[in-house]
């Protein structure tokens, strides 16, 4: 390593530490999100973080549906919330939350009479998940 590169490393590290302090400062983040020059960058980074978190939540919803064999139970036809909760060993409110999340991902569809059926994407997604291709 040349002397110039060796001297540049500490300079770069000091710059990165300063940048990290700025980014950790709520006042700086607030100003950066308002200033037109940095607004787009702040929004893009916030969007990337949202996508990362959403992807995690989506995968957990799908995993819970597969683990509880929800799609297998719905393959026979629509079933009621209480019936699904009992079969899965979940409290009613827990099954209601899972069905709500699965409906948002179009894995299941819910009717007004508190029944659920496999959604358009439910069977196809679980088949790919089971085959390791999700």
């Amino acid at each position: 390593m040349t002397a110039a590169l060796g001297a540049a490393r500490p300079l770069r590290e000091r710059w990165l530490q300063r940048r990290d302090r700025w980014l950790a400062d709520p006042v700086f983040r607030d100003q950066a999100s308002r200033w037109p020059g940095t607004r787009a960058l702040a929004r893009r980074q916030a969007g990337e973080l949202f996508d990362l978190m959403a992807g995690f939540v989506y995968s957990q919803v799908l995993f819970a549906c597969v683990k509880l064999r929800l799609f297998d139970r719905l393959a026979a036809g629509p079933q009621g919330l209480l019936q699904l909760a009992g079969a899965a060993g979940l409290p009613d409110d827990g099954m209601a939350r899972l069905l709500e999340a699965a409906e948002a991902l179009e894995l299941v569809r819910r009717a007004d009479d508190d029944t659920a059926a496999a959604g358009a994407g439910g069977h196809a997604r679980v088949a790919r998940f089971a085959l390791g291709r999700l």
Side-chain angles (χ1 to χ4, degrees):
M1 178 181 328
T2 66
L5 282 178
R9 278 197 197 277
L11 179 64
R12 183 176 191 280
E13 187 58 35
R14 283 195 311 269
W15 159 247
L16 290 174
Q17 288 174 355
R18 178 175 287 157
R19 181 207 61 188
D20 292 345
R21 278 193 308 272
W22 287 339
L23 293 174
D25 180 8
V27 173
F28 176 82
R29 288 194 318 264
D30 183 56
Q31 291 172 348
S33 68
R34 294 173 193 234
W35 188 59
T38 55
R39 184 180 307 139
L41 176 64
R43 284 186 178 166
R44 188 190 78 209
Q45 289 177 340
E48 289 171 358
L49 181 58
F50 177 83
D51 290 345
L52 177 67
M53 295 305 297
F56 174 75
V57 171
Y58 297 165
S59 68
Q60 295 301 298
V61 170
L62 178 59
F63 179 74
C65 290
V66 170
K67 185 80 170 166
L68 296 171
R69 301 177 49 117
L70 184 64
F71 302 114
D72 294 339
R73 297 182 205 295
L74 295 176
Q79 294 187 28
L81 170 71
L82 299 177
Q83 184 180 4
L84 289 170
L90 286 180
D92 299 347
D93 62 335
M95 180 56 75
R97 280 192 303 274
L98 178 59
L99 289 174
E100 198 173 304
E103 182 180 30
L105 299 177
E106 299 179 358
L107 298 173
V108 301
R109 61 182 169 77
R110 296 180 68 190
D112 292 336
D113 63 352
D114 217 16
T115 60
H123 291 295
R125 288 186 180 130
V126 74
R128 288 194 311 222
F129 182 79
L131 296 172
R133 291 188 262 163
L134 181 67

